Amino acid sequence: MRGMIDFFRIICHNKRSLIGLIILIIFILMATVGPFIFKLNMTVDYNNRYLSPSLEHWLGTDFAGRDTFIQLVHGSKEVLLVGLLAAFFTLFVGALLGTLSGLVGGRLDSGIMLITNLFLTIPSFPILIIMAAIFSIRDPVSFALVLSAWSWPGLTRAVRSQIISLKERDFIVICKVMGMSKPHIIFKELMPSITSFLSISFIMTMRGAITGSVGIMMLGLAPYSPTNWGQMLNLAVSQTGGIFNPLGFIYLFSPILCLALFQLGSIFFANGIDEALNPRLRG
Amino acid sequence: MTPVIVLKRIGMAFVTVCLATVMTFVLLRLTPGNAIDAWARDYATQFGITLEEAYRRIAAMINYNPNEPLHEQFVRYISGLLQGNLGVSMVYQQITVNSIIANAMPWTIFVATISLFISFVIGMLLGVRMAWKRNSILEPSVSLFTVITSAIPDFIFAILLLVVFAYGLNWFPVNGAYDPFVTPGFNLDFIVSVLYYAAMPILTFVITNIGGWALMMKGNAVSVLGEDYIIAAKARGISESVIMNRYVMKNAMLPMITMLAITFGSMLGGATLIENIFQYPGIGYFLGEATRTRDYTVMQGIMLFLSVTMIVANLIADLVYSKLDPRIKVEG
């Protein structure tokens, strides 16, 4: 508990990370509570298309007379869920393989590294769109699995190098000499030392997964959610002329602004975590 | 780098290429069988042949027959590849995957090369100056720029440029690679037109890449500035500009040269979204088209091609790096 309070005190101390935290909290509220407050209605109403912002429609309406703001809110649930799941899967596989590879070494290490390098040298975005097409993505879980299939290798490599440098440090060597058990060394000594690194990786992976998912949606390759920001962009660009029709600008720019703000929030917050959990950076 | 290590690296790259080949084969195997079934039925009615014969002909065209046993499929696939044959498009059945790649690749390489060159040079100059004058306005402005450009994904920049410069101001064309009314060839009109049509894709890459190069260069330059030979040069009264441009720039640049090859490789694959937004007929545009139309042979061919390019780019980066910078230790 004390640790948590300290953590938040340091976050709040740093202006950047506080801004990041606030942005992230707003998005999390938007994605969790938002859909319950604002009911989505996707019926086409051509009499009310391209309305300007008003009390009834906070961000106006789109090309088919549907409320832009409510679409944005429902889209955020979709986008954040995919990012969160992808980050979980990535972290799990990356941390597991990286730790194994770093600790055990030898044949296992070379094997894992061979596969990791293979995944690293295969261009990720092209294969993502191909996998999106082959597996016909229809739900957030499969989307997240496809996204994480190409984001674990980077993390595996990073965790491995952290573990390798840590296991030669004095305190680990002492633990070994004192005959402490392997699980104790792994979970009580090594893991806490890379928590900071892992939580930053988590946020950055989530950030990357969100960009990737929105990109795939924007290309129209996983059209299962009409309110996903990427799908909104796709419709704004391809269907409605939102790109040259000033009336459609709000519909085009609101997902763009949300995406950029979310990314900015993640970057700022990750900066703060680094400082909060890594005592060497404090000064 | 001893010859043994060079050979080892080449061997590793070869193994990776083999694994990538197996992977694209697996992707092809995951293709829903009905795509090929439907094709075979069409083909059979069109040419008035039996379904079996149609399968046989299609298998010859795309190096793949889902009805054969697995090992025969694999042998057929590999022997096709060894002859440099990636098969024909499943949607436009007269067009080979090889010719699609050959037509698309120059455009992608053209845009990637120019934007890499521009962003690298500007980033390098900015980085050195940031390291040299630590308290100027340059440092915070470049940092701010980098934060913004890394927060906004490149395809968003592409959309913004399209909205502002193509549709809003009408300064640049909306899509295509050159004016359809000029004759392609080595003439001034064509070259100007190509540059004009490529301007916005190039600008997108440059905007999103400059910040990274600048910060990387700054980091390197700061550590070079602390070296003894810089202090010695200052003591010898060598002018600031010579120290900055000759000593610092050269040495800080070294570690970045290898990044050039890797970035180039990843740009070829990363161009998919941007080329689709500008409808620029490069490799990424055709990959997007093939994916939308479920043209599995084209998808798989482009994928394999891009993977091999990346692997080769990484190999070159690896080999070049140790040649350039004798200080680095090479792990076997």
Side-chain angles (χ1 to χ4, degrees):
Chain A
M1 200 57 220
R2 254 202 78 77
M4 282 300 270
I5 295 170
D6 272 351
F7 175 77
F8 279 107
R9 209 178 35 235
I10 294 162
I11 294 276
C12 294
H13 235 66
N14 181 330
K15 227 188 275 164
R16 261 194 177 190
S17 55
L18 184 63
I19 296 174
L21 182 65
I22 292 172
I23 294 177
L24 291 186
I25 289 177
I26 292 175
F27 273 107
I28 291 169
L29 285 177
M30 179 168 159
T32 49
V33 187
F36 293 105
I37 300 176
F38 303 99
K39 285 279 168 273
L40 185 65
N41 175 12
M42 293 299 277
T43 19
V44 177
D45 176 7
Y46 278 110
N47 294 324
N48 285 322
R49 59 201 310 226
Y50 297 130
L51 291 182
S52 320
S54 63
L55 272 180
E56 198 189 343
H57 301 291
W58 293 2
L59 286 175
T61 55
D62 68 356
F63 59 97
R66 300 170 300 207
D67 190 286
T68 306
F69 177 72
I70 295 179
Q71 287 186 54
L72 212 56
V73 168
H74 283 257
S76 70
K77 183 182 76 181
E78 191 67 45
V79 171
L80 261 59
L81 183 64
V82 170
L84 201 67
L85 287 173
F88 266 121
F89 296 150
T90 305
L91 198 71
F92 180 73
V93 177
L96 188 74
L97 289 182
T99 317
L100 262 180
S101 193
L103 277 183
V104 179
R107 284 258 168 97
L108 185 74
D109 183 33
S110 352
I112 293 178
M113 278 304 112
L114 183 68
I115 298 171
T116 311
N117 287 335
L118 167 72
F119 275 79
L120 276 178
T121 42
I122 289 196
S124 60
F125 196 73
I127 195 122
L128 277 184
I129 71 170
I130 289 178
M131 285 169 74
I134 288 182
F135 297 120
S136 310
I137 292 170
R138 292 272 171 272
D139 60 286
V141 177
S142 52
F143 207 164
L145 280 174
V146 166
L147 287 164
S148 41
W150 247 261
S151 55
W152 64 266
L155 191 64
T156 303
R157 283 250 294 232
V159 169
R160 173 178 174 267
S161 57
Q162 294 263 337
I163 294 285
I164 287 179
S165 92
L166 273 175
K167 78 174 179 185
E168 302 304 326
R169 300 264 174 86
D170 292 344
F171 71 102
I172 299 293
V173 176
I174 291 171
C175 286
K176 277 190 193 151
V177 173
M178 285 168 68
M180 288 181 178
S181 69
K182 265 232 157 81
H184 175 90
I185 296 180
I186 295 174
F187 291 105
K188 293 275 161 170
E189 305 293 338
L190 282 177
M191 279 300 166
S193 314
I194 59 168
T195 325
S196 130
F197 172 75
L198 287 181
S199 29
I200 293 162
S201 306
F202 183 84
I203 293 179
M204 287 312 179
T205 314
M206 178 159 160
R207 206 190 126 210
I210 285 179
T211 315
S213 73
V214 169
I216 286 174
M217 274 278 185
M218 201 191 72
L219 285 181
L221 296 174
Y224 70 92
S225 151
T227 57
N228 183 298
W229 298 343
Q231 186 67 11
M232 286 175 77
L233 283 175
N234 177 12
L235 292 174
V237 172
S238 67
Q239 305 287 318
T240 69
I243 239 177
F244 51 79
N245 176 1
L247 286 172
F249 276 178
I250 298 184
Y251 180 66
L252 172 71
F253 283 120
S254 21
I256 288 184
L257 195 69
C258 278
L259 189 60
L261 268 179
F262 181 83
Q263 304 275 325
L264 205 64
S266 314
I267 294 177
F268 280 179
F269 184 59
N271 259 329
I273 294 191
D274 205 9
E275 208 167 304
L277 296 174
N278 193 347
R280 266 172 299 167
L281 284 176
R282 261 177 264 161
Chain B
M1 210 182 234
T2 61
V4 178
I5 295 175
V6 172
L7 281 178
K8 218 170 168 181
R9 286 287 151 89
I10 294 174
M12 273 300 291
F14 180 72
V15 172
T16 331
V17 168
C18 292
L19 286 174
T21 314
V22 174
M23 201 171 227
T24 48
F25 176 73
V26 173
L27 278 180
L28 195 67
R29 292 269 317 153
L30 292 171
T31 306
N34 50 21
I36 291 173
D37 284 347
W39 185 5
R41 270 195 303 277
D42 280 357
Y43 205 84
T45 32
Q46 193 184 340
F47 292 93
I49 51 177
T50 61
L51 201 57
E52 219 167 293
E53 173 70 11
Y55 260 115
R56 216 183 45 75
R57 288 200 197 168
I58 287 170
M61 281 195 290
I62 65 172
N63 300 331
Y64 176 66
N65 184 349
N67 296 339
E68 285 173 351
L70 192 61
H71 63 274
E72 275 176 38
Q73 284 177 29
F74 190 70
V75 169
R76 182 194 282 278
Y77 177 69
I78 297 296
S79 63
L81 286 185
L82 286 178
Q83 292 158 25
N85 177 10
L86 291 170
V88 298
S89 158
M90 283 170 69
V91 174
Y92 309 101
Q93 291 160 19
Q94 264 70 45
I95 302 174
T96 62
V97 179
N98 287 11
S99 71
I100 292 178
I101 293 176
N103 279 318
M105 215 46 211
W107 298 113
T108 304
I109 291 180
F110 168 69
V111 168
T113 318
I114 293 193
S115 40
L116 199 58
F117 179 75
I118 295 176
S119 59
F120 185 75
V121 169
I122 297 179
M124 218 169 55
L125 294 172
L126 280 177
V128 167
R129 267 151 195 81
M130 275 159 76
W132 191 259
K133 292 222 171 4
R134 296 300 292 278
N135 294 318
S136 69
I137 180 79
L138 196 63
E139 164 116 43
S141 29
V142 173
S143 300
L144 182 71
F145 177 80
T146 315
V147 168
I148 293 172
T149 49
S150 56
I152 303 177
D154 49 6
F155 59 91
I156 297 290
F157 275 108
I159 296 179
L160 294 179
L161 289 177
L162 204 57
V163 170
V164 176
F165 294 112
Y167 286 111
L169 298 168
N170 274 323
W171 286 359
F172 289 99
V174 175
N175 55 33
Y178 56 87
D179 189 339
F181 295 108
V182 298
T183 30
F186 196 72
N187 57 63
L188 189 65
D189 280 352
F190 180 69
I191 294 168
V192 169
S193 171
V194 163
L195 284 171
Y196 179 56
Y197 274 71
M200 287 209 307
I202 290 176
L203 191 59
T204 311
F205 281 119
V206 169
I207 290 176
T208 46
N209 281 326
I210 283 184
W213 290 122
L215 288 190
M216 212 189 293
M217 185 66 183
K218 186 201 137 195
N220 293 340
V222 166
S223 61
V224 169
L225 281 172
E227 300 274 348
D228 290 343
Y229 59 85
I230 301 290
I231 299 165
K234 278 185 190 158
R236 290 198 334 255
I238 294 173
S239 77
E240 272 199 5
S241 64
V242 171
I243 297 182
M244 190 156 83
N245 292 330
R246 287 263 191 82
Y247 290 42
V248 181
M249 190 94 103
K250 246 189 199 159
N251 288 295
M253 216 175 80
L254 270 180
M256 286 163 67
I257 299 285
T258 141
M259 283 299 294
L260 271 181
I262 296 173
T263 315
F264 184 75
S266 64
M267 271 172 97
L268 299 184
T272 317
L273 275 164
I274 291 167
E275 287 182 352
N276 273 281
I277 288 167
F278 293 117
Q279 295 183 25
Y280 196 79
I283 200 101
Y285 175 74
F286 284 102
L287 182 62
E289 281 296 290
T291 316
R292 264 189 292 272
T293 54
R294 301 289 193 266
D295 196 338
Y296 293 100
T297 41
V298 174
M299 275 154 64
Q300 166 257 336
I302 291 181
M303 193 61 231
L304 186 62
F305 178 78
L306 286 177
S307 309
V308 173
T309 317
M310 275 280 271
I311 294 167
V312 172
N314 277 309
L315 178 68
I316 291 174
D318 244 13
L319 297 181
V320 165
Y321 191 26
S322 56
K323 263 270 179 297
L324 283 177
D325 192 347
R327 283 167 305 182
I328 64 143
K329 273 185 281 172
V330 182
E331 302 175 35

